[in-house]
Amino acid sequence: AGGSGCWGLGAATEYCKRFASIAPVRGALRAVGLRRAPEVLRDTNIWAFHAWNDATTPVAFTDVSMMECARRTRAEIKYTRPDHGPADDPVAALLPGEAAPMKGESTHVLAY
């Protein structure tokens, strides 16, 4: 689920009133959600993170999601978009059988 799951859960009409804020790391609103989610999220603070050099999830996904939410929101919006996200993840090293993260994929290290 990751960042897209965070966006989706925050924008789900049955859960949206439970969250004052969401902080998606990578990922985006899906195409269907992109049409209705900014309206659902208009009172939800959003702080999104996505490294420009992410090799697996295009940063444009988060760019478009944030742009649409910023146009319709009444809440606080913040977007942290570093040029270079780390390729190493100290947590992944502890998980046997996990594939090594790709370039920029470990943006969550910067976020948390």
Side-chain angles (χ1 to χ4, degrees):
S4 294
C6 181
W7 280 110
L9 190 60
T13 54
E14 63 270 27
Y15 299 114
C16 65
K17 299 295 183 206
R18 295 183 183 201
F19 303 106
S21 302
I22 60 170
V25 179
R26 304 171 60 234
L29 292 164
R30 299 289 184 223
V32 171
L34 195 55
R35 288 191 290 273
R36 67 170 178 72
E39 184 65 27
V40 174
L41 290 167
R42 73 179 177 273
D43 295 318
T44 304
N45 298 315
I46 302 168
W47 188 356
F49 298 83
H50 202 140
W52 180 85
N53 69 329
D54 189 325
T56 58
T57 305
V59 71
F61 288 179
T62 302
D63 292 347
V64 170
S65 297
M66 288 300 287
M67 186 172 45
E68 289 300 313
C69 287
R71 287 181 358 165
R72 300 179 191 154
T73 192
R74 296 186 295 228
E76 185 175 340
I77 300 283
K78 187 172 181 179
Y79 186 13
T80 300
R81 191 176 183 257
D83 288 338
H84 299 285
D88 56 332
D89 180 352
V91 175
L94 302 173
L95 302 172
E98 274 296 308
M102 296 181 71
K103 178 175 68 171
E105 195 176 14
S106 296
T107 307
H108 62 276
V109 173
L110 302 175
Y112 304 123

